Structure formats: C-alpha cells, structure tokens
Amino acid sequence: MLALTIFTCALIYGGQYGIDIELIEAIAKVESSNREKVISQDGMDFGLMQIRKKYVPETKKQLMDACTSIKVASRILDFNKKNCKHKKDYTYVVCYNVGVTGGKKINHPKKFPYYKKVMKEMQ
C-alpha cells in the first residue's frame, strides 16, 4: 500500500513542482528504504524523504506522513533545481543532500556518493 502512496504522491507533487517521479522514488529509497515513519540517528531528519525539520515550517508529525514528506521534498528539489550550481542530469540532488551552500563546494557532482546512490536506484 505504501508503494502506491509513494507513486501517487510523487505523481501529484512531482508534477506540481516539475520533478521526475523516478527521482522522487529513488530518493525515498536511498533516504529511508521507503519507510514512512523513520527518524535519522541524530534525530534531525524525519519521514520518508528524511527532511531536516529546522529548514521547513511543517511539524515533525506532518513530516512522518509519506505524502507530506514527498510534497516538501519536491518543493526542496524544485528550489535546488533553480538555485544549485549543479543542474544537469539531476546533479542538483547533491544540494538535496548537502544544501545549496554545500553544493557550491562540490566540483564533480557525478562523483559525489549521494548522487551515485540515487542514480543507481533510478536504473
């Protein structure tokens, strides 16, 4: 049932923000192994898409909902697509992992481990 939810929410919010559904699904797999109610070991990231609470207005409880997590992640990915220096071939996902400021320090995004993990899941 969760797989259907992930696909449906990715279809809705990916479409709204212009984010590839497969990219959203790959990030969900990398971030949480498609688990909806997961909290990172450091207690800072929440939900399916492992959203860092301090950067978004949504509550921790809201982030534990798969659709809300996908909506917020799609919004973040859209922002990154527009503001990250890496824009080709989904390389803006490095900014999803390290932020736009951190992304500026990465010269070869296709060699970045997080990018490789996400792209592997898209195959």
Side-chain angles (χ1 to χ4, degrees):
M1 184 67 141
L2 183 58
L4 185 59
T5 301
I6 292 170
F7 177 78
T8 303
C9 296
L11 185 65
I12 293 166
Y13 296 114
Q16 180 179 340
Y17 289 100
I19 305 299
D20 190 322
I21 296 164
E22 291 175 353
L23 180 63
I24 295 169
E25 291 176 324
I27 292 172
K29 178 83 174 181
V30 168
E31 290 289 347
S32 68
S33 299
N34 290 330
R35 293 177 295 149
E36 182 176 24
K37 299 193 184 304
V38 66
I39 300 172
S40 65
Q41 288 182 340
D42 66 3
M44 302 286 287
D45 306 312
F46 298 88
L48 181 73
M49 303 298 282
Q50 288 294 277
I51 307 295
R52 188 144 294 212
K53 168 62 190 107
K54 72 179 188 177
Y55 296 118
V56 298
E58 286 79 7
T59 66
K60 293 175 187 178
K61 183 178 179 181
Q62 289 172 314
L63 293 173
M64 296 300 241
D65 171 72
C67 265
T68 301
S69 189
I70 290 170
K71 179 180 180 180
V72 173
S74 296
R75 187 175 71 219
I76 292 167
L77 287 163
D78 177 53
F79 177 84
N80 290 343
K81 190 166 58 167
K82 293 172 182 170
N83 296 287
C84 186
K85 79 174 191 176
H86 310 294
K87 297 181 189 219
K88 293 175 72 176
D89 303 323
Y90 304 113
T91 52
Y92 58 89
V93 299
V94 300
C95 290
Y96 186 83
N97 186 246
V98 298
V100 172
T101 303
K104 290 178 182 177
K105 298 174 186 172
I106 297 169
N107 293 320
H108 304 287
K110 289 185 178 182
K111 294 181 180 180
F112 192 68
Y114 184 80
Y115 175 82
K116 289 180 180 181
K117 285 182 192 177
V118 171
M119 292 303 106
K120 183 178 178 184
E121 291 301 328
M122 287 186 70
Q123 296 174 350

